[in-house]
Amino acid sequence: MMLRPMRFDLYLGRAVLGTVLLTWAVLVGLDVLMAFSGEFKDIGKNGYSLGHAAAWVLYTVPRRAYTMFPTAAVIGALMGLGQLAATSELTALRALGLSRKRLSVSVAIALSLLTGLMVISAETLGPWGQNRADSLKMSAKWGTDMAVARYSGLWAREGDTFLNAQSGEEQLVGDKGTRLILRDVRLYKIDEEGRIGTLTHAATAEHDKNGWVLTGVRRDTFGERSATRQEAAREPWNSKLDAGALATGIAKPRNLSVSELSTSIAYRERNGLDARDYEDVYWSRWFYPLNVLALCLAAVPFAFGSLRSGGMGKRLFLGILFALAFWLLQLFFGRMAGALKFDYRIAYALPPIVMLAVSGLLFRRKSG
């Protein structure tokens, strides 16, 4: 089986990519329109206008494109191959001595190009766009250009110290980065016997490139039969609490990059916190290319059989059916991994294995 690019590779790739891009544009467009209509309820609140809503949706397009691509890939690939099968062009290629596996490789190479772009986008444009969208929305609603995110009821742990902040925000500091500000902060330090050794209350806890600083500090230290209080207007807080992981804990895991997910997972594991939501998204990113290719390759055998007859509706139905079946498999194994607490790598490896096994069986049964 020759693997070097040939003229028919370009022809098949062009046919498949054309329908994939068209399907992708339709799906992303529908998703954007639905998201934009969902923003109408917030228009007019404080300074949030129609222009803000439109800009927010546009910033989220890279993330939406990444999410929609697997579905667009399988539907577009089936429609493109179906058109070639209906005009007997696939049969002509087979008559030239090309095997079904070789033709499948051509399809896989074409789809790999878009899949690689989506992987890069998920680590660059996707998180950047989502952060810009959140910043834009919060700035419009809160009437300030400084606020990036606001949250409340935050809990975190670092070693024997538990942190609770009633509210807070992440702020832009020029073009040099961000500053995390937590308000109405309580620090509970637990001794070896599980009792509160010290209780520190601070009006604010700020983190920048120089570390943590507490302001308006009141610290109560508890002995066996005594309690003492210390007060300070401002003091540094020597803590290894990861402000980046703390800030990413505010955002939804699906909006984070792989490096941010890895940091969040390490932070939570180090402090005995539940990291499974982050592990779920983390491993889904790594298996994303395999999932896309397995899904499309599993559908390719239909191009050598049932897609020779039937119109566009049949191809569209089969594409949606495959995408839905794969999504249900992923959902099932993902939920099982969460409930039974087994490795998410196994959960995300099983669906493509099942789909590729189905593809292998269909390849043996289909005649060309």
Side-chain angles (χ1 to χ4, degrees), residues 134-363:
D134 293 339
S135 174
L136 176 70
K137 178 179 285 190
M138 298 309 298
S139 297
K141 287 186 174 182
W142 291 94
T144 174
D145 293 332
M146 294 296 291
V148 176
R150 291 176 181 261
Y151 46 95
S152 60
L154 177 68
W155 282 92
R157 175 186 176 186
E158 178 64 31
D160 59 357
T161 301
F162 291 82
L163 178 147
N164 172 241
Q166 295 301 308
S167 63
E169 62 188 31
E170 191 178 10
Q171 296 183 342
L172 296 173
V173 184
D175 298 328
K176 298 181 179 180
T178 61
R179 176 175 58 189
L180 186 63
I181 300 179
L182 305 179
R183 305 184 189 282
D184 196 6
V185 178
R186 288 172 176 79
L187 302 173
Y188 304 88
K189 188 171 184 179
I190 309 301
D191 60 23
E192 296 179 354
E193 298 179 359
R195 298 177 300 184
I196 298 178
T198 61
L199 170 59
T200 303
H201 177 269
T204 64
E206 300 182 15
H207 184 277
D208 55 21
K209 62 181 180 179
N210 297 320
W212 287 97
V213 175
L214 304 178
T215 60
V217 182
R218 185 180 68 243
R219 180 177 295 105
D220 296 318
T221 304
F222 302 99
E224 292 185 0
R225 297 183 179 181
S226 63
T228 58
R229 170 171 291 183
Q230 296 176 320
E231 296 184 358
R234 183 181 179 90
E235 67 177 31
W237 179 30
N238 185 21
S239 173
K240 296 180 180 180
L241 185 65
D242 192 331
L246 193 62
T248 57
I250 304 165
K252 295 179 180 179
R254 66 185 177 91
N255 296 336
L256 303 177
S257 66
V258 166
S259 60
E260 291 172 333
L261 288 168
S262 179
T263 300
S264 298
I265 292 170
Y267 162 72
R268 280 160 175 76
E269 289 180 344
R270 187 172 66 249
N271 293 284
L273 303 175
D274 186 11
R276 297 192 68 79
D277 288 344
Y278 293 84
E279 291 176 351
D280 186 2
V281 179
Y282 178 81
W283 289 113
S284 72
R285 296 284 180 82
W286 283 106
F287 280 92
Y288 182 89
L290 177 62
N291 289 341
V292 173
L293 295 179
L295 177 60
C296 294
L297 289 177
V300 165
F302 285 92
F304 300 99
S306 61
L307 291 184
R308 290 178 180 176
S309 60
M312 190 72 70
K314 182 178 181 180
R315 299 162 198 158
L316 182 61
F317 172 75
L318 284 174
I320 294 174
L321 184 63
F322 263 88
L324 181 61
F326 191 79
W327 178 77
L328 289 175
L329 276 176
Q330 275 196 328
L331 183 65
F332 172 75
F333 287 119
R335 293 293 184 269
M336 290 291 290
L340 302 180
K341 299 187 182 304
F342 64 84
D343 200 324
Y344 276 104
R345 285 170 288 189
I346 299 176
Y348 278 102
L350 287 175
I353 289 175
V354 171
M355 298 302 286
L356 289 175
V358 171
S359 177
L361 291 175
L362 290 174
F363 260 122

Side-chain angles (χ1 to χ4, degrees), residues 12-25 27-28 62-77 105-125 285 288-293 296:
L12 279 176
R14 186 164 55 247
V16 170
L17 289 181
T19 52
V20 168
L21 290 173
L22 179 61
T23 306
W24 197 12
L27 292 177
V28 174
R63 176 182 62 79
R64 299 179 190 280
Y66 175 86
T67 303
M68 289 294 179
F69 177 69
T71 302
V74 67
I75 294 176
V105 169
S106 300
V107 175
I109 292 174
L111 292 176
S112 295
L113 298 176
L114 290 179
T115 304
L117 290 176
M118 283 298 95
V119 171
I120 296 173
S121 175
E123 300 305 305
T124 54
L125 284 177
R285 296 284 180 82
Y288 182 89
L290 177 62
N291 289 341
V292 173
L293 295 179
C296 294

Side-chain angles (χ1 to χ4, degrees), residues 6-13 15-16 80-81 83-85 87-104 106-107 303-304 308 368:
M6 305 291 288
R7 182 172 297 179
F8 68 85
D9 288 318
L10 298 177
Y11 184 75
L12 279 176
V16 170
L81 291 174
Q83 291 176 359
L84 297 177
T87 56
S88 299
E89 291 179 83
L90 287 183
T91 303
L93 290 173
R94 291 294 316 281
L96 292 175
L98 298 173
S99 67
R100 289 171 295 180
K101 292 182 179 179
R102 181 64 182 90
L103 295 176
S104 299
S106 300
V107 175
F304 300 99
R308 290 178 180 176

